[in-house]
C-alpha cells in the first residue's frame, strides 16, 4: 500500500453495552481515494463508519477499544476534540436532511458558528460549494427559498455541499443514494467520483453495482468483521475469501 494513509485503524472493537458489534478491525484508508464498505444488513459497516467521526458517542452505553489514527493522532483518545474531529471528518446521511432553512442558510450555518461573518466571504462560499456539487445553476435564483422545496436528489447534493463548506479532509457517506431515484443516484455518483480529487471518501452502500462503479477500494464486512479488503476490480472479479465470493454471487445477503 502507498504511504498516503489518511486513517489507520488498529485492533478496533465496538460494544453496544455488552454486545461486541465490531471485532478486530484493522484497515488503512488511503488519502483521496473512494473506499466502499459492503456487506449484508446488520454486519457493522454503518456502525464502523460512524465510529470514524465518533457519531456513535451520541448513543448510551457504548465503548470502543483499539485505535483510529487520523493524521497521526488517535481520535478515540479522551483528549481528542470531537467537535474538531467532526469538522475534519464530515458526514452525509442516508436520507437527505437539509435544515428547515433557506438553501443559503444551510450552507453558511456552520461556517458562521466557526467565525466566518463577512457577507462577501459567505456569498463566495455558497457559490463555490454549490458549484462543486453541480447545484449552482439549478438554485442560484432561489438561494433564499426553503431547502425543503428541492427534489430529493437536489437536497442530497445540498447536504454534500453543506459538508464541503466546513472544508473537511474526509467525507463519510452512509448509503447516500438509497433514498434517491436512478437519475439522481447517477448525478450523486458522478459528484462523488469528482470529489475524490480533493477529499478522502468512505461510502457504505447496499449496492454492489454502486461500489463497483465508483470505488477504488472495497471492504467486505460480515458479522462485525472485515473479511476482505482490496482493489475494487480485484475484489469483485477474484475475491480471495469464499465468503466474499458467496456474498458477491448472491448466495446470501
Amino acid at each position: 500500500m502507498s504511504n498516503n494513509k489518511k486513517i489507520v485503524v488498529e485492533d478496533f472493537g465496538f460494544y453496544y453495552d455488552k454486545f461486541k458489534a465490531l471485532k478486530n478491525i484493522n484497515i488503512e484508508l488511503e488519502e483521496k481515494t473512494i473506499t466502499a464498505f459492503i456487506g449484508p444488513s446488520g454486519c457493522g459497516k454503518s456502525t464502523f463508519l460512524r465510529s470514524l467521526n465518533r457519531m456513535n458517542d451520541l448513543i448510551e452505553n457504548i465503548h470502543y477499544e483499539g485505535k483510529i489514527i487520523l493524521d497521526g493522532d488517535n481520535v478515540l483518545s479522551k483528549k481528542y476534540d470531537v467537535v474538531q474531529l467532526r469538522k475534519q471528518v464530515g458526514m452525509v446521511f442516508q436520507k437527505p436532511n437539509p435544515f428547515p432553512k433557506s438553501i443559503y442558510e444551510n450552507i453558511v450555518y456552520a461556517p458562521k458558528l466557526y467565525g466566518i461573518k463577512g457577507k462577501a466571504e459567505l456569498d463566495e462560499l455558497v457559490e463555490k460549494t454549490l458549484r462543486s456539487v453541480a447545484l449552482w445553476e439549478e438554485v442560484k435564483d432561489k438561494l433564499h427559498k426553503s431547502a425543503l422545496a428541492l427534489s430529493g436528489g437536489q437536497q442530497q447534493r445540498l447536504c454534500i455541499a453543506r459538508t464541503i463548506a466546513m472544508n473537511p479532509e474526509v467525507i463519510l457517506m452512509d448509503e447516500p443514494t438509497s433514498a434517491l431515484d436512478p437519475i439522481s443516484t447517477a448525478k450523486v455518483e458522478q459528484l462523488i467520483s469528482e470529489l475524490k480529487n480533493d477529499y478522502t471518501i468512505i461510502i457504505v452502500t447496499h449496492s454492489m453495482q454502486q461500489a463497483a462503479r465508483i470505488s477504488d477500494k472495497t471492504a467486505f464486512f460480515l458479522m462485525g468483521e472485515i473479511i476482505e479488503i482490496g482493489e475494487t476490480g480485484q475484489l469483485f472479479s477474484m475475491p480471495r475469501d469464499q465468503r466474499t465470493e458467496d456474498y458477491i454471487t448472491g448466495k446470501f445477503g
Side-chain angles (χ1 to χ4, degrees):
M1 222 179 219
S2 58
N3 293 323
N4 57 349
K5 301 178 194 73
K6 188 69 185 170
I7 298 176
V8 178
V9 180
E10 297 175 353
D11 301 325
F12 179 74
F14 180 86
Y15 294 81
Y16 290 106
D17 210 0
K18 295 191 174 59
F19 172 67
K20 192 168 188 181
L22 292 168
K23 23 195 182 302
N24 309 326
I25 302 282
N26 288 281
I27 188 172
E28 295 175 342
L29 297 160
E30 290 184 33
E31 195 162 21
K32 295 187 180 169
T33 300
I34 300 173
T35 305
F37 295 166
I38 62 168
S41 290
C43 66
K45 54 193 188 294
S46 287
T47 298
F48 179 56
L49 188 80
R50 288 197 298 266
S51 301
L52 296 173
N53 70 346
R54 290 183 49 184
M55 287 296 279
N56 290 324
D57 287 21
L58 306 171
I59 304 166
E60 285 183 12
N61 299 329
I62 58 117
H63 67 274
Y64 307 103
E65 60 191 15
K67 292 179 178 173
I68 296 176
I69 298 161
L70 170 69
D71 294 335
D73 293 315
N74 179 17
V75 308
L76 301 181
S77 137
K78 295 268 191 291
K79 299 193 291 282
Y80 204 93
D81 179 348
V82 178
V83 174
Q84 180 60 31
L85 173 64
R86 292 189 191 142
K87 188 166 176 273
Q88 277 175 284
V89 183
M91 183 107 190
V92 176
F93 295 92
Q94 186 169 358
K95 288 201 169 64
N97 60 342
F99 304 137
K101 297 173 177 290
S102 71
I103 294 167
Y104 186 94
E105 280 298 323
N106 264 272
I107 303 279
V108 301
Y109 181 76
K112 277 176 24 184
L113 291 180
Y114 282 89
I116 299 177
K117 297 283 193 257
K119 184 173 184 314
E121 198 178 348
L122 291 169
D123 287 352
E124 189 182 340
L125 180 67
V126 168
E127 180 171 348
K128 186 173 136 216
T129 50
L130 289 173
R131 280 191 188 283
S132 72
V133 299
L135 202 52
W136 175 252
E137 293 301 329
E138 294 170 41
V139 304
K140 64 183 180 189
D141 299 324
K142 44 187 176 189
L143 293 177
H144 299 289
K145 299 226 162 51
S146 171
L148 301 178
L150 297 172
S151 71
Q154 289 174 322
Q155 287 187 14
Q156 193 62 305
R157 281 186 286 150
L158 177 65
C159 292
I160 295 169
R162 189 175 69 191
T163 303
I164 291 171
M166 291 306 294
N167 199 24
E169 296 165 32
V170 179
I171 301 176
L172 309 177
M173 298 187 166
D174 195 358
E175 296 193 47
T177 62
S178 65
L180 304 181
D181 63 83
I183 292 170
S184 299
T185 295
K187 281 188 175 172
V188 171
E189 284 185 5
Q190 184 186 350
L191 168 60
I192 293 168
S193 298
E194 289 164 8
L195 290 175
K196 81 164 177 188
N197 294 321
D198 299 303
Y199 307 95
T200 302
I201 296 174
I202 302 152
I203 178 170
V204 165
T205 177
H206 260 120
S207 162
M208 283 184 273
Q209 293 83 0
Q210 181 170 71
R213 281 194 298 267
I214 65 171
S215 70
D216 304 295
K217 295 268 171 87
T218 297
F220 170 56
F221 282 72
L222 187 63
M223 297 173 73
E225 295 182 76
I226 293 181
I227 303 301
E228 184 169 345
I229 179 166
E231 301 286 341
T232 296
Q234 174 265 313
L235 185 123
F236 281 111
S237 59
M238 288 170 39
R240 291 186 293 271
D241 191 290
Q242 187 62 44
R243 291 165 294 180
T244 313
E245 181 158 342
D246 288 349
Y247 179 69
I248 287 168
T249 53
K251 291 201 173 128
F252 71 95

